[in-house]
Amino acid sequence: MWDHDLDGRREHEGLARALDDTGAPDGRIWNGHRWQEWDAWTETGSVTHPLRAGGPAALRAECQCVWHGPTRPLDSDPSVTAATVEEDWEQHIAAATVAVPPRDVEEEISDLLLRLFALAEDRPLAALGALRDLEGKIEPQRVVAVGRARRQGDSWQKVADALGVARQSAWEKYQFAGTGTDVTAAYAKAEPPTP
């Protein structure tokens, strides 16, 4: 099995699942050295797969997050096919985690939201003022991030996925990002705060 550890978080586990000659999942995985019976993800409790007669005919990468890769016909040496399906899984991990913020940033956002919630209970107008200020600082940061992502060669689809919007929406709103005076202005507004 393969583990992916991002800032101490295990968000994905992968394995090389055996498939029978019909493409149905078999109850075996290739563990890197031999076939091993494996019928469920320990944390997700996914459906168990029966052992098929005749042995495996193919492998595919599977991830604990329910993603699975393409079917790869089994080589005479299962390690060769297993290396290919592990590469499939690595590509999945690269795509699935590209927009995941570091743990410390997530924790700070969570802390800020808790503080804003508490402020809204005690002093709702002060909370509204803080939210107004925050909103005014978020959009310039977003423009800067889009501009940098585009300059690094990321596609509009990747940008849209990270923003959680459709590709067309991302392009329409941020097509100027990466060039022009609007980005320069966004950079000026998005300068890191002084302590």
Side-chain angles (χ1 to χ4, degrees), residues 91-149:
Q91 289 176 3
H92 156 68
I93 291 304
T97 61
V98 70
V100 175
R103 176 176 258 180
D104 63 327
V105 171
E106 283 185 342
E107 289 172 354
E108 288 175 20
I109 290 171
S110 180
D111 289 345
L112 176 61
L113 292 174
L114 286 171
R115 292 181 67 196
L116 288 169
F117 182 81
L119 184 61
E121 284 184 335
D122 295 338
R123 298 178 50 212
L125 294 178
L128 289 171
L131 289 166
R132 178 198 63 232
D133 291 347
L134 183 60
E135 286 173 351
K137 292 175 177 142
I138 287 175
E139 189 58 24
Q141 291 286 350
R142 203 176 281 136
V143 171
V144 169
V146 169
R148 287 184 177 159

Side-chain angles (χ1 to χ4, degrees), residues 80-93:
V80 172
T81 310
T84 301
V85 299
E86 186 173 2
E87 288 174 16
D88 293 338
W89 184 76
E90 291 290 345
Q91 289 176 3
H92 156 68
I93 291 304

